[in-house]
C-alpha cells in the first residue's frame, strides 16, 4: 500500500456523501419497501374529539374486495399493551392507559378505532367506510384553564382529574422578597400555539415476520430505532432479541418521529396474527391528526428588575397542553425548557412551575427544540418589555444582564453549568453585519413622520442546552433512559474503514461528518470511510437522534473509538518497527520513529498485518476494531444573537421581513456547509411559528387546519435572504469542542421576529401580538391599541 496525502477534514466544507442517492432517486424510503405477500393496513379514525364507543362492527369490511382481515380495539387488546411514556416526571403523575386502538372511548379526533388489512392500500382505505360505529358524544375538553376547574368534564374519567402533574423548580432567593425590593415588576402572558411537523416523508412502517423463529423485522421512518425496538417489545410482548428495527432513509422528522406510535405496534401485531408482511403509510391529512403535535402552552411570566434594567428575579408559570395521552416524552418536553428560561442572564431568584393538562386533542410531544424555543421566546420577549419599561435600547438591557465571557464556566440560576461562551463577541458581530445603528436611525425618522409602514427591529440573544445527557442527570429528572451513545470502528484488511454509529440520521449529514471525524483521527482518506447506522442488527447499541445530541455525543463517541484504533495500531507498529511505543509519532495516518523518519508504517499497512496476524505482539487480537460508549459529563450550550428587521403595514397588518442576520456559536464546526444548512432550516421553522403555522381546533374539538391548504407551511418564496455567520468558542465537555446546531435557528428566530413586529408597533401602543402574527392579528392589535398611545410618534428607546 502507498502513502496518501491526507488533508485535514474537520472544519472542511465537504459536500454531503448522502446527497448523490437523494438527488438520483436511489433512496430507500420505508414506503418504497415491498416484499412477497405484502398486505396493507388502513386505520379508521374517530371523527369525534370525545365519545364513548357504543357499538363497533368490522364484519361488513370483510365483504369488500381484497380485504383479508379487520380488527376493532377489543379484537387487538389481548395482544397489545398500552403505548409507553418514558418520562414520569413526578411520583404522582397521572398516567392513563393508551391503547393503540381505542377500546371503549375515543379522546381526540383521529384516535384509531379499527384496522382493515387488504391486498392493496386502496382496497384497505375503501373498506374503512363499511365499518359500523355508534358513538355517544361526550363533552370535549379544549380550554387549558377551564380544564382545571373542579366541574370540568374529564378526558379520562377514571383518573378524576385533567391535571397530569405539577412540576416546580425554585432556586436562589425567595421571589416574593426580590419582588418587594424591585423598582420594576412586569407581568406578561404569552401563548405558544400548537404546531404540526411537516417532514418531507410521511410516517410509514413495514413489518416482515419470520414465523419459524418468531422474529420480526420492522422498517420504520423513525428517529429512534433502538428505543423503538425496546418499546415495541414492551407493548407487543415480542422478546427484544426477536425484533430487528431498521430506519432506512428517513426524510425528516423535527421530533415528530421521536415517538413510539400505535401504528408501529399495530403492524407488528397484525403481522404476528396473519403471518404475513404488512405495510402502513400515512396520508398527509391523516398525519395531521395522528402524528403528535408540538408546543401548546400558556406562559405567565413575571420579571423583577431595578430601574437601571438589572434583572433581579424571574417567575414562570406554565400550563402545558398534553393532549389526550402521555406519549413517549410528552410530560417532560415542556420541562426541558425549565432550565432555559433564565437564558444567558444573571439574576438572584428564579421560580418555575409547570402544570400538565389533558385535553381532547392530538397528544403533544417533542417538536424541534422541545421546550427550549418556548423558554427562549418568553425570556427574550420579556427582556424587550423590560427595555421599553426602563427606557433602554433592547441590546443595552441585555448587555447589562448577560454572563460575561470571563465568567465561564458559569453556574446558572437554574442549576446548569455553562462551560463556555462569548455572548459579547457574537452580538458585536451580528450588530455590525446588521447595520443596527443605521436601522435605528431610519426607524426614528419614519416614526417621526408617522409612516403607515413601520420599521421594527427584533433582538434575540439565546443559549440552549443540548446533547441530551448525562445519564445521571436524566436519572434525577426521572427520565427512563440514559444519555450515552455508542460507536465502533472496523478497520478492514484493505485499509478501508467502517464506522458504526448508534445515532440515526434523518437529514442531518451524519455520514459525511462521521467520515470526516474518523478520517482525521485515523489519517485515512475521507472517501475510504463508510458509515453504518439505523439498523439494530448492524448497530446493536445506541440512543438515537434528537435534542441536537448526535454530534456532541455520537460524534464524540466516534472520535474516541477511532483513538482506540490508533492506540491498538501503535502497539503493532512499535512491534514491526522494533521501537518503543513512546518513540513513535503518528501523523497523517503514518507511524514513524522519532529521529528516523524512514522507519514508518501507514495505519492501512498495520490493518493488513493485523489481519494476517503473522507478526503481531504476543497476546494481540488479530483486529484493530474498537468500540466506545460515551456518557458526557455535561450538556453542551450553543449560543448566538439573531437580529430581524421587519416592515409592518399598519393599514393591512402585512409583515415583511426586510433583513435577517444571525451569528451563532456552535463550538468547533465539523462541516460549515452542513452547519449552514441546519441554521437555514431552523430559521425557516422558527419564522414559520412567528408568522404562519398554527393547529386550530373548533369548539367541538375538530382540527380545522388539517391540510396544507389550511395549515400554512412557508416555502422559500415566503422567507427572506439570511445573513449567517459564526463565532467559535469550543465546548470543553467533549473531545470535539462541538456544541450542536440542529435546533439553534428554531430556538432563536421566533422571538427575534415577534420582537421586531412589536417594536414596530410599540409607538402605537401595541405590546404584544399573538402568534402566528398573521395580517389579521397584527391589524387587530393596531386597531385595539389604547387611543392615548396610538397618537404617539416617537421612536423606540
Amino acid at each position: 500500500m502507498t502513502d496518501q496525502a491526507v488533508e485535514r477534514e474537520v472544519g472542511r466544507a465537504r459536500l454531503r456523501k448522502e446527497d448523490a442517492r437523494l438527488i438520483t432517486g436511489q433512496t430507500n424510503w420505508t414506503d418504497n419497501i415491498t416484499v412477497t405477500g405484502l398486505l396493507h393496513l388502513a386505520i379508521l379514525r374517530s371523527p369525534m374529539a370525545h365519545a364513548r364507543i357504543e357499538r363497533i362492527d368490522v364484519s361488513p369490511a370483510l365483504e369488500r374486495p381484497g380485504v383479508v382481515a379487520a380488527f376493532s380495539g377489543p379484537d387487538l387488546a389481548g395482544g397489545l399493551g398500552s403505548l409507553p411514556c418514558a418520562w414520569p416526571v413526578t411520583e404522582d403523575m397521572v398516567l392513563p392507559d393508551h391503547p393503540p386502538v381505542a377500546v371503549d372511548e375515543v379522546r381526540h379526533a383521529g384516535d384509531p378505532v379499527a384496522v382493515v388489512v387488504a391486498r392493496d392500500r386502496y382496497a384497505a382505505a375503501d373498506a374503512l367506510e363499511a365499518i359500523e360505529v355508534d358513538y355517544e358524544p361526550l363533552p370535549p375538553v379544549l380550554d387549558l384553564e377551564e380544564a382545571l376547574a373542579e366541574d370540568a368534564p374529564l378526558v379520562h374519567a377514571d383518573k378524576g382529574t385533567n391535571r397530569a402533574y405539577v412540576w416546580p423548580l425554585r432556586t436562589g432567593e425567595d421571589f416574593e422578597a426580590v419582588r418587594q425590593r424591585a423598582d420594576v415588576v412586569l407581568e406578561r402572558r404569552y401563548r405558544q400555539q400548537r404546531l404540526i411537523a411537516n417532514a418531507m416523508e410521511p410516517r410509514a412502517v413495514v413489518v416482515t415476520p419470520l414465523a419459524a423463529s418468531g422474529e420480526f423485522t420492522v422498517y420504520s421512518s423513525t428517529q429512534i430505532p433502538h428505543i423503538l425496538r425496546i418499546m415495541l417489545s414492551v407493548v407487543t410482548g415480542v422478546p427484544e432479541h426477536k425484533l430487528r428495527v431498521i430506519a432506512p432513509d428517513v426524510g425528516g422528522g423535527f421530533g415528530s418521529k421521536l415517538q413510539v406510535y400505535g401504528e408501529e405496534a399495530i403492524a407488528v401485531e397484525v403481522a404476528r396474527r396473519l403471518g404475513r408482511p404488512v405495510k402502513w403509510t400515512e396520508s398527509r391529512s391523516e398525519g395531521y391528526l395522528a402524528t403528535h403535535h408540538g408546543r401548546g402552552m400558556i406562559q405567565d411570566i413575571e420579571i423583577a428588575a431595578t430601574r437601571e434594567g438589572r434583572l433581579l428575579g424571574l417567575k414562570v408559570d406554565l400550563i402545558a397542553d398534553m393532549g389526550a395521552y402521555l406519549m413517549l416524552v410528552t410530560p417532560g418536553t415542556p420541562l426541558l425548557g425549565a432550565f432555559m428560561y433564565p437564558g444567558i442572564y444573571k439574576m438572584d431568584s428564579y421560580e418555575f412551575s409547570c402544570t400538565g393538562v389533558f385535553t381532547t386533542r392530538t397528544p403533544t410531544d417533542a417538536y424541534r427544540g422541545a421546550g427550549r424555543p418556548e423558554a427562549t421566546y418568553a425570556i427574550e420577549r420579556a427582556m424587550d418589555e423590560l427595555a421599553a419599561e426602563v427606557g433602554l435600547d433592547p441590546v443595552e438591557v441585555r448587555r447589562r444582564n448577560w454572563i460575561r465571557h470571563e465568567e465561564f464556566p458559569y453556574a446558572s440560576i437554574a442549576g446548569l453549568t455553562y462551560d463556555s461562551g462569548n455572548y459579547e463577541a457574537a452580538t458585536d458581530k451580528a450588530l455590525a453585519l446588521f447595520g443596527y445603528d443605521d436601522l435605528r436611525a431610519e426607524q426614528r425618522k419614519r416614526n417621526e413622520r408617522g409612516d403607515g409602514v413601520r420599521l421594527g427591529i427584533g433582538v434575540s440573544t439565546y443559549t440552549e442546552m443540548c446533547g441530551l445527557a448525562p445519564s445521571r442527570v436524566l436519572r434525577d429528572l426521572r427520565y427512563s433512559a440514559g444519555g450515552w451513545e455508542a460507536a465502533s470502528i472496523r478497520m478492514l484488511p484493505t485499509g478501508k474503514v467502517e464506522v458504526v454509529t448508534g445515532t440515526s440520521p434523518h437529514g442531518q449529514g451524519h455520514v459525511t461528518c462521521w467520515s470526516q471525524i474518523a478520517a482525521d483521527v485515523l489519517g485515512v482518506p475521507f472517501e475510504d470511510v463508510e458509515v453504518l447506522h439505523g439498523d439494530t442488527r448492524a448497530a446493536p447499541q445506541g440512543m438515537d437522534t434528537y435534542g441536537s445530541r448526535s454530534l456532541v455525543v455520537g460524534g464524540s463517541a466516534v472520535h474516541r473509538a477511532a483513538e482506540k484504533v490508533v492506540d491498538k495500531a501503535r502497539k503493532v507498529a512499535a512491534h514491526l518497527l522494533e521501537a518503543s511505543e513512546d518513540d513513535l509519532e503518528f501523523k497523517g495516518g503514518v507511524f514513524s520513529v522519532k529521529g528516523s523518519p524512514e522507519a514508518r508504517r501507514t495505519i492501512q499497512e498495520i490493518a493488513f498485518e493485523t489481519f494476517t496476524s503473522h507478526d503481531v505482539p504476543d497476546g494481540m487480537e488479530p483486529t484493530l476494531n474498537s468500540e466506545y460508549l460515551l456518557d458526557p459529563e455535561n450538556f453542551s450550550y450553543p449560543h448566538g444573537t439573531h437580529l430581524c428587521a421587519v416592515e409592518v403595514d399598519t393599514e393591512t397588518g402585512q409583515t415583511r421581513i426586510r433583513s435577517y442576520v444571525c451569528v451563532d456559536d456552535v463550538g468547533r464546526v465539523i462541516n460549515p456547509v452542513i452547519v449552514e444548512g441546519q441554521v437555514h432550516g431552523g430559521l425557516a421553522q422558527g419564522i414559520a411559528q412567528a408568522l404562519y403555522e398554527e393547529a386550530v381546533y373548533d369548539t367541538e374539538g375538530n382540527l380545522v387546519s388539517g391540510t396544507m391548504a389550511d395549515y400554512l407551511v412557508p416555502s422559500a418564496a415566503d422567507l427572506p435572504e439570511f445573513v449567517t455567520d459564526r463565532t467559535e468558542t469550543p465546548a470543553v465537555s467533549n473531545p470535539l469542542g462541538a456544541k450542536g446546531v440542529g435546533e439553534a435557528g428554531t430556538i432563536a428566530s421566533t422571538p427575534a421576529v415577534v420582537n421586531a413586529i412589536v417594536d414596530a408597533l410599540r409607538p402605537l401602543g401595541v405590546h404584544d401580538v399573538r402568534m402566528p402574527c398573521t395580517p389579521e392579528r397584527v391589524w387587530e392589535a393596531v386597531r385595539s391599541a389604547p387611543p392615548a398611545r396610538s397618537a404617539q410618534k416617537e421612536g423606540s428607546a
Side-chain angles (χ1 to χ4, degrees):
M1 298 183 184
T2 58
D3 294 354
Q4 301 183 55
V6 179
E7 182 180 342
R8 182 161 179 80
E9 287 292 339
V10 169
R12 188 176 177 187
R14 279 278 190 184
L15 296 179
R16 301 193 335 157
K17 283 185 174 183
E18 298 90 331
D19 289 344
R21 287 180 17 262
L22 292 171
I23 63 178
T24 57
Q26 298 179 60
T27 49
N28 189 34
W29 312 115
T30 301
D31 191 51
N32 295 150
I33 295 168
T34 184
V35 293
T36 302
L38 183 67
L39 300 174
H40 295 261
L41 301 182
I43 296 174
L44 182 67
R45 299 183 183 277
S46 168
M48 308 185 73
H50 198 195
R52 188 172 292 109
I53 301 173
E54 293 290 291
R55 184 184 73 90
I56 182 165
D57 185 0
V58 299
S59 60
L62 296 172
E63 300 173 6
R64 293 297 183 97
V67 172
V68 173
F71 304 98
S72 66
D75 294 334
L76 295 173
L80 294 175
S82 180
L83 292 174
C85 174
W87 205 337
V89 296
T90 63
E91 289 186 8
D92 60 349
M93 186 184 80
V94 174
L95 181 57
D97 284 341
H98 184 184
V101 182
V103 174
D104 52 11
E105 195 170 307
V106 293
R107 294 181 170 88
H108 68 90
D111 215 354
V113 296
V115 180
V116 169
V117 189
R119 293 187 177 88
D120 68 70
R121 64 187 301 177
Y122 305 105
D126 289 344
L128 293 179
E129 65 185 18
I131 296 174
E132 298 173 2
V133 188
D134 293 336
Y135 296 101
E136 178 189 343
L138 296 171
V141 180
L142 301 170
D143 185 276
L144 292 179
E145 291 177 300
E146 290 178 3
L148 295 173
E150 289 188 9
D151 58 348
L154 298 176
V155 180
H156 299 275
D158 60 318
K159 299 302 180 183
T161 181
N162 289 322
R163 183 179 284 101
Y165 66 85
V166 177
W167 192 93
L169 175 67
R170 292 180 177 84
T171 64
E173 298 180 33
D174 178 70
F175 182 80
E176 283 306 312
V178 168
R179 190 182 194 278
Q180 290 301 314
R181 74 169 192 264
D183 302 315
V184 176
V185 176
L186 297 178
E187 298 180 15
R188 295 291 186 268
R189 169 168 281 200
Y190 303 121
R191 293 180 183 269
Q192 295 282 330
Q193 75 269 37
R194 275 176 166 251
L195 302 175
I196 304 175
N198 281 270
M200 292 183 71
E201 179 205 19
R203 290 191 296 117
V205 60
V206 173
V207 178
T208 61
L210 186 60
S213 61
E215 295 178 276
F216 298 83
T217 298
V218 180
Y219 300 88
S220 180
S221 55
T222 182
Q223 297 175 219
I224 52 168
H226 297 90
I227 295 173
L228 178 60
R229 182 191 189 202
I230 296 167
M231 294 303 186
L232 280 180
S233 178
V234 172
V235 175
T236 66
V238 177
E240 184 183 349
H241 67 288
K242 296 291 188 180
L243 284 169
R244 178 185 182 185
V245 176
I246 299 173
D249 292 312
V250 178
F254 313 117
S256 71
K257 296 174 183 175
L258 197 185
Q259 192 56 264
V260 177
Y261 282 105
E263 293 86 359
E264 292 159 324
I266 292 166
V268 172
E269 176 63 12
V270 170
R272 176 165 57 183
R273 292 191 180 206
L274 301 182
R276 297 271 297 274
V278 298
K279 176 191 286 187
W280 172 81
T281 301
E282 73 178 2
S283 67
R284 282 288 174 189
S285 56
E286 187 178 23
Y288 274 46
L289 290 169
T291 297
H292 74 241
H293 294 179
R295 313 287 194 256
M297 66 173 63
I298 297 170
Q299 301 170 303
D300 286 318
I301 310 298
E302 187 173 352
I303 57 175
T306 69
R307 62 176 56 88
E308 293 77 26
R310 191 179 82 78
L311 273 176
L312 298 176
L314 171 66
K315 184 177 182 182
V316 177
D317 284 309
L318 304 184
I319 305 177
D321 187 351
M322 304 286 98
Y325 303 100
L326 301 183
M327 298 190 75
L328 193 65
V329 293
T330 299
T333 298
L335 305 186
L336 286 171
F339 305 97
M340 287 285 98
Y341 278 86
I344 66 173
Y345 307 115
K346 296 180 284 189
M347 61 192 72
D348 302 325
S349 175
Y350 175 50
E351 285 194 12
F352 172 93
S353 179
C354 178
T355 301
V357 179
F358 292 112
T359 63
T360 52
R361 287 187 280 237
T362 300
T364 59
D365 209 298
Y367 180 91
R368 196 172 190 168
R372 292 153 296 155
E374 298 94 306
T376 300
Y377 181 86
I379 188 61
E380 289 304 294
R381 287 287 296 113
M383 291 302 286
D384 260 34
E385 293 298 293
L386 176 61
E389 186 70 21
V390 299
L392 287 173
D393 182 273
V395 174
E396 177 58 27
V397 82
R398 288 167 170 81
R399 289 188 195 278
R400 295 187 183 190
N401 288 284
W402 66 33
I403 303 155
R404 302 192 62 80
H405 70 276
E406 64 269 15
E407 296 178 277
F408 288 94
Y410 185 86
S412 81
I413 188 74
L416 301 175
T417 299
Y418 298 172
D419 62 338
S420 68
N422 192 329
Y423 309 141
E424 304 97 302
T427 301
D428 289 344
K429 194 170 193 177
L431 292 172
L433 289 169
F434 191 62
Y436 186 82
D437 292 340
D438 291 342
L439 283 167
R440 282 294 185 202
E442 179 187 344
Q443 180 188 49
R444 283 191 291 272
K445 291 178 182 178
R446 292 172 68 159
N447 286 349
E448 288 165 1
R449 293 196 304 263
D451 284 2
V453 178
R454 295 294 179 118
L455 176 64
I457 298 166
V459 182
S460 174
T461 51
Y462 78 99
T463 189
E464 55 158 324
M465 53 182 279
C466 58
L468 193 62
S471 297
R472 290 180 181 178
V473 172
L474 297 179
R475 171 202 64 194
D476 294 342
L477 294 173
R478 300 180 60 84
Y479 184 59
S480 297
W484 53 268
E485 193 49 77
S488 59
I489 305 287
R490 299 200 287 250
M491 284 291 295
L492 305 181
T494 55
K496 309 304 182 185
V497 179
E498 289 180 336
V499 174
V500 182
T501 177
T503 63
S504 186
H506 42 283
Q508 295 89 341
H510 291 188
V511 171
T512 302
C513 288
W514 280 213
S515 295
Q516 290 180 274
I517 292 166
D520 261 8
V521 177
L522 299 173
V524 301
F526 170 80
E527 295 77 12
D528 286 356
V529 182
E530 188 71 22
V531 179
L532 307 178
H533 59 80
D535 181 342
T536 61
R537 183 165 293 170
Q541 297 185 94
M543 293 302 296
D544 305 320
T545 295
Y546 39 86
S548 298
R549 73 183 301 271
S550 291
L551 176 60
V552 174
V553 190
S556 293
V558 170
H559 180 92
R560 292 298 193 208
E563 288 181 328
K564 288 178 70 174
V565 169
V566 173
D567 290 342
K568 284 187 174 183
R570 184 184 300 277
K571 296 181 186 301
V572 181
H575 177 77
L576 294 173
L577 296 170
E578 298 181 343
S580 165
E581 290 182 43
D582 294 337
D583 290 335
L584 291 186
E585 292 181 333
F586 181 69
K587 184 177 181 181
V590 176
F591 290 98
S592 61
V593 180
K594 296 174 184 176
S596 302
E598 70 283 355
R600 60 205 306 270
R601 292 292 180 94
T602 68
I603 196 168
Q604 293 99 328
E605 291 172 328
I606 300 296
F608 187 78
E609 292 289 347
T610 308
F611 163 71
T612 65
S613 202
H614 292 168
D615 187 15
V616 296
D618 292 342
M620 178 84 182
E621 294 179 343
T623 175
L624 297 182
N625 298 350
S626 72
E627 182 176 83
Y628 199 95
L629 274 74
L630 184 140
D631 197 346
E633 297 178 359
N634 195 0
F635 300 96
S636 64
Y637 301 96
H639 68 83
T641 296
H642 288 222
L643 301 169
C644 178
V646 301
E647 291 185 328
V648 182
D649 189 326
T650 58
E651 295 298 321
T652 66
Q654 186 68 39
T655 296
R656 181 181 74 89
I657 298 180
R658 176 168 141 177
S659 61
Y660 196 102
V661 168
C662 64
V663 174
D664 296 295
D665 191 325
V666 298
R668 186 162 289 126
V669 171
I670 307 300
N671 187 319
V673 172
I674 289 177
V675 167
E676 197 82 355
Q678 289 287 297
V679 170
H680 281 199
L683 293 176
Q685 219 153 353
I687 291 169
Q689 178 175 6
L691 297 179
Y692 301 108
E693 296 188 25
E694 182 176 21
V696 179
Y697 286 82
D698 66 16
T699 56
E700 298 301 314
N702 300 303
L703 182 67
V704 296
S705 56
T707 71
M708 284 189 172
D710 310 294
Y711 186 91
L712 303 182
V713 181
S715 70
D718 300 305
L719 298 167
E721 292 288 331
F722 302 127
V723 176
T724 65
D725 210 330
R726 293 184 299 278
T727 55
E728 189 169 302
T729 311
V732 300
S733 57
N734 66 76
L736 298 174
K739 293 185 176 181
V741 69
E743 296 158 306
T746 303
I747 288 168
S749 57
T750 307
V753 173
V754 177
N755 276 343
I757 293 169
V758 175
D759 182 67
L761 303 178
R762 197 179 296 279
L764 305 179
V766 175
H767 296 283
D768 191 32
V769 179
R770 183 173 171 179
M771 293 189 294
C773 300
T774 61
E776 180 181 6
R777 285 181 177 170
V778 171
W779 182 86
E780 181 58 37
V782 173
R783 292 300 173 270
S784 61
R789 298 290 300 273
S790 297
Q792 294 182 8
K793 295 196 168 51
E794 58 272 8
S796 296

